[in-house]
Amino acid sequence: MTRKPWQGRFEKSTSQILEKFSESISFDRELYPQDIRGSIAHAMMLGKTGIIPQADADLIVEGLEQILAELEAGGDPWDPALEDVHMNLEAILTARIGDAGGRLHTARSRNDQVVLDLKLYIRDASVRIRGCLVELLGTILERAEEQFGTLIPGYTHLQRAQPVLLSHHLLAWFEMLRRDHERFAAAWESLGQSPLGAGALAGTSLPIDREMTARELGFETVTRNSMDTVADRDFAAQFLFNAALAQVHLSRIAEEIILWSSSEFSFVILPDAFSTGSSMMPQKKNPDPAELIRGKAGRAIGNLTTLLVVLKGLPLTYNRDLQEDKEPVFDAAGTLVGSLEVMAGLMGGLIFDSGRLGKAAQDGLVTATDLADYLVRKGIPFREAHGITGNLVALCLERGCGLAELPLEQMRERCPHIEEDVYDFLRVDLSVQHRDVPGGTAPGRVQDAMEEARAWLEQVRSR
Amino acid sequence: MTRKPWQGRFEKSTSQILEKFSESISFDRELYPQDIRGSIAHAMMLGKTGIIPQADADLIVEGLEQILAELEAGGDPWDPALEDVHMNLEAILTARIGDAGGRLHTARSRNDQVVLDLKLYIRDASVRIRGCLVELLGTILERAEEQFGTLIPGYTHLQRAQPVLLSHHLLAWFEMLRRDHERFAAAWESLGQSPLGAGALAGTSLPIDREMTARELGFETVTRNSMDTVADRDFAAQFLFNAALAQVHLSRIAEEIILWSSSEFSFVILPDAFSTGSSMMPQKKNPDPAELIRGKAGRAIGNLTTLLVVLKGLPLTYNRDLQEDKEPVFDAAGTLVGSLEVMAGLMGGLIFDSGRLGKAAQDGLVTATDLADYLVRKGIPFREAHGITGNLVALCLERGCGLAELPLEQMRERCPHIEEDVYDFLRVDLSVQHRDVPGGTAPGRVQDAMEEARAWLEQVRSR
Amino acid sequence: MTRKPWQGRFEKSTSQILEKFSESISFDRELYPQDIRGSIAHAMMLGKTGIIPQADADLIVEGLEQILAELEAGGDPWDPALEDVHMNLEAILTARIGDAGGRLHTARSRNDQVVLDLKLYIRDASVRIRGCLVELLGTILERAEEQFGTLIPGYTHLQRAQPVLLSHHLLAWFEMLRRDHERFAAAWESLGQSPLGAGALAGTSLPIDREMTARELGFETVTRNSMDTVADRDFAAQFLFNAALAQVHLSRIAEEIILWSSSEFSFVILPDAFSTGSSMMPQKKNPDPAELIRGKAGRAIGNLTTLLVVLKGLPLTYNRDLQEDKEPVFDAAGTLVGSLEVMAGLMGGLIFDSGRLGKAAQDGLVTATDLADYLVRKGIPFREAHGITGNLVALCLERGCGLAELPLEQMRERCPHIEEDVYDFLRVDLSVQHRDVPGGTAPGRVQDAMEEARAWLEQVRSR
Amino acid sequence: MTRKPWQGRFEKSTSQILEKFSESISFDRELYPQDIRGSIAHAMMLGKTGIIPQADADLIVEGLEQILAELEAGGDPWDPALEDVHMNLEAILTARIGDAGGRLHTARSRNDQVVLDLKLYIRDASVRIRGCLVELLGTILERAEEQFGTLIPGYTHLQRAQPVLLSHHLLAWFEMLRRDHERFAAAWESLGQSPLGAGALAGTSLPIDREMTARELGFETVTRNSMDTVADRDFAAQFLFNAALAQVHLSRIAEEIILWSSSEFSFVILPDAFSTGSSMMPQKKNPDPAELIRGKAGRAIGNLTTLLVVLKGLPLTYNRDLQEDKEPVFDAAGTLVGSLEVMAGLMGGLIFDSGRLGKAAQDGLVTATDLADYLVRKGIPFREAHGITGNLVALCLERGCGLAELPLEQMRERCPHIEEDVYDFLRVDLSVQHRDVPGGTAPGRVQDAMEEARAWLEQVRSR
């Protein structure tokens, strides 16, 4: 049986049950690229500062680079008895380069090492997620540009409320996801401090160079307090929150796609490549990808909850409870990347039925607000205008007609201020044109918005 | 490329990205024993009712039994392109027994099938968990019996409040976990209705015998409404709640073990087999198992949250979001079983330092309540007795002595009702004896409680 | 300034900031009926056992009954400086009856008292909730009975899948909520043990009669371990889970009502009394009540999370963290009662558009499964039948017709086993009739289900 | 009965049950300062742009200012029948100034209005919270400065691991809470876009000036898409996350204070003004404030969960579910402000027992890591040094002595590289001095850290 590095004074070996329960190599192997990168930087620093012989440092770096290459090529060298990815990699290294391997863990503890690995992982994941967000944002913008001119009913309470441009609706999605991009970008700063050098909790008595490893690994600076460094998981909680909120946004978009692809709405046809059939009902084209994405908001919120509960009431500094930080992070990252990729594919392939959309937007009462605003323009206080409009809508319902079909006379009976020009306000296409305020759905405003979005996207891409 | 069973009318193949995103075989393979058991019962029924030829039914049953045996022996035949465990098993079967395999899915849908599998899985997991709970309860009871007589301070607000028997404290843990056992047992009823026969959502037009498959699989009856059957995941939510609450209980016990094994408390020494060392500080014996168990309350609560979020706002009947029900269930079951096993090992190996415990329980002011009760016995209203006691405690703090060390005279100065017999109420051992009410810590009561617990345990074990 | 009962030895008074932060009277006053009921039972027991003079016990009981009457008449006597409902009531009592009031808290602690109050509150709330559930279940059943015969499309993935009876759909809702009723009923048992007598944590040294107070208050028995008694909040967690799951069910029903009342579905018209208008769009009839109910699933899940987090990692026995148990319970109870009442009103007033419903159910491809089952009856293996059906559906899509409109010849080209009788399986009304299995949507089965539901409801009501 | 503004066409009045269920005035009245501020800015803009007569605008502004003054003086004019704070204020205004009041709601919808109010509320709350954080940070820093020189054991796994300066430990708390401050500050940007002008969902057809109201209200700019504006609650989710994480931090600090004030640790004595007594055990000084703060992490996480669940799967744009956004935000803000204030009071009053602390830090084996590092300095590879140290610790345990008490000879038997100078590394005070890396616990480094913290704090305060 493998002897554990910390078993110096222990007389009885660890229980098999416990070993299985406490191992983390089955999941933290996902950290190998970060762990190796961190160890290489650490070894270089140890050599440079003379804490270990330069020759040993070189051996370590070389050995680790080789191991990394093998792992990237698909190697699977993990030994569960060695508990975690850190111990495994050190053992593999030492088996290859001998005694020098035993110098790698000098002036370092698993406590600062594991924070380093997780921080690097989250940095890498964030870059990947931002890339996926940009892809999806790009697709949404293209669809908005391409669909410019198509009308769609705007809903409140899932009731048709006011007509809008489909592009305007798509840009609402754009804004939601742009905020996610900005949130992940803003979190970068909180990921900018290297934890290496905090040791077990108090720093180290060996003359390390924290700034050097920080620089080497792309950090802006080093953490300020060693105890906080090994106890802190804020950066992971922030990541999980950002992922959960992004996933909630995707669930909202998914809900709309599911609605739109129902027989009742029939606003879109799903692309074959992003829908599935049913084993019992071969005629159906099911929005499974959208449903899965919607459902995955559950696990994203669950992952966030998990870490916050773990942290609640935990005294300083490192406690083993913190091992529970990794799986939620891995799951959140993988889930979000997958959801974004699938949503981009789905988004790109949606076939809009502009005929159905336009017809739905023409619902005869959706310009009621325009009528109220028209009355305001005629000098009537809004609350009164509101009441008159309500009366005229009731008249329409009674007669089974739209507002634009009411004879002028009948309107004037209710309100003598109404004149012929009222009809300019009751037409759906003119209604859209009239919402001519920044952020409104008037075609010019939507055009402006698309241009701003395009410029922002270019700029983000070129960074 | 493998052709999907539902690809009848689809022209373009599913996107690779989507395939990876939507496959479930990587985790739902865990359901293979339940899926095969369910399919065997279903095939037997199809044969018996004449819906398929009996010879085909026999072939199916034989084929599935063989596949089951191979899987239990460690086989790994899964093909990700076949999406899920159901499709995989049907494909493996058909590859072996030919056309007859294509008859298995008659009068069944993945919608009722997947509910069946998950229900059977949760039934199996619940039996396993109850077994683990009984083991742990047995260990706790043994420790309580063995430690009978040892004193320990009882705490409120983590302040020493009143002395109790260590056995009494251990029995408090017993009660917490006994409730978990009862909760899992009570949930059995809600798991007693077979879903098979609900079809996709409306039942089937073929003359199946739902009661027969139900009986065959150990269910008491069949579900009452086909639409509800495929949409319902209450049984899974209930399981996740029960698991979360059990895990919260374990986190409370774990917290106490962590406290007790600190230098400051030093009430227990951890068994070597259930503690670990540190890579930087070889002198330490860390309560890692207890910390891990405490931390795992996070994921248990997270899993519960996940499923409730998935279900929120979901229209009937089956929606693909429901695929997200399985991973939380698997994780909760595995986590709880592991935590219970490790806790049982840890519990069994704790070495109580009865000297330290007794000394801590002797804290000179812990009998203040006894003094107040003494005064009540002398006819003084409780609130007044409370005030007098407070005064005497203040006197003790001033003089740096315990209550039992105050001279009678000085007490009588504050309250002339106090007599020589007061000292019988100020001794810690007598204090414990005086709490002689049902559920109290008096030795006789604790003895009764241990006997009741022993009897209950025997009865549960013999079921 | 009011002097706190526990301020015996304290030299400096409590900070004003802390006082505001830690008071609970602003919310725990909701417990006054339970607190008074518990105190009356306790005082009667103290008198009967001779622990306090019977005359004092009588004074206390009389005083408390008077206070209760005044509070029920709308009195508002609360003093924030007295922290909580227990202290307030004792102070009010003592102000009225003098010294005897100071005897009430004999042989009791706030620790067992507060558990008692919360348990009684949850018992009362559960009874109320079960009553509301029965009301709503009754309304649903009435609607199902009244709508018997109306068709509606059954959905999976929000796609029309198979026609069902509207009554069948409504009975699916019935089953969801019936489980809630059963869950609240089953939880009763876990609420059946009186905590009174556990004292601060160890029992009491005074000769109380726990069984007497238990009987008096309607409990079946007493708790088994005093330490567990004051530390346990499982009964509250169970209540919060039951409430959360019920609220999730309501959110699913609400989602369907929202969908059905959209222009696109137009399956129902909302009753005026249970919908609202918009301040800007007077033509709209918004499903606000359903939206609010759906949204309130959030707080229900939040309340459950809150308590589980509070309990995580808490050592025995009472810790002040537990004060955080009450607000989630009050909020969950009030929210659920309100939601059930509103849902019952809404449910009772829904106006189903049977014409639209029937037309939607006639969707020309919804009998595809029936066709597959027909082929199975002709001896074709299911997977092959599935493939043939897929082909014929593709043909329909190509020709823009329904399955029942395909000429027999064209079908026989694909599958020579098809005969004239196939058309009996392609008609929607016959499709529904064919699903003649227990729990299926065939009219006879639905009739049976309504009778079973009616009988169950009568029985529950008569309890 | 009050007629609702939107009741134009409704024939039957709203159900009483629904009215009670859907009203929000009982809690959203908390928004009155923000609602009035927003309405004033809106009215000024309406007047300036000529959409309403300037005289009416002036009347409105004047009226609202008067109402605000009255409300701040304690007025309670709310009418539940008017549903929410917006309707109430408009009705109060109109009752006073007549017809002009009916012009206030021109070119505005409750949908953009409610987003505005909540955003302004969160901005105000964030400023308040940052102020409280600065207060608490200031207190922590003062305590660190004042306690400079005191030793305390540093813990991992709640086991004494390495000695540190108490100031270093306090600065770890400082860092946790500084991150909260930075997080709230960073969120400011996401709160910088005025929603006013989005109307119900599509903008307005009246010629408003969005930038003017934005400027007036202190926003940097306006939102970019009207549909997103009324559907978005990210700013609230972000606030709830920031509050939850801060509350989790406080729970960790609270846990340590609870531990430290136990008899077993006895590191601190709680200030009388920030601790409480017990009704049954007058000798106790309970850390109730710390326990309450720890417990309130539950509701903070619950509040976050609530909103994320509400948002999950919600289609655009406004749905009434969003009414559920307010209570969690109010509760989170109030809870955090209260917790920070109480923690600041508690922190300021903690009496550290430097004697007990120093003695605990002197634990004879805490310099084991120093010994390992010493061996590394002598050229021994770390893993070997680790093993030797383990052996020597085992020897200490056998002999019942500390490392510094081992005779040189006995050490040299295990490792001949050990020399006389080893004792410089085994003394606790020197151990602390040796951790001389940035962020380490060496006195010089801690001094630097305190200076940096002081400078940062001054700078934040002077902003």
Side-chain angles (χ1 to χ4, degrees), chain A residues 155-157 264 279 284 386, chain C residues 155-156 264 279 284 291 386:
Chain A
Y155 293 79
T156 58
H157 310 271
E264 289 73 15
S279 65
K284 289 175 60 183
H386 188 287
Chain C
Y155 293 78
T156 57
E264 288 73 16
S279 64
K284 287 177 61 181
E291 292 167 88
H386 189 287

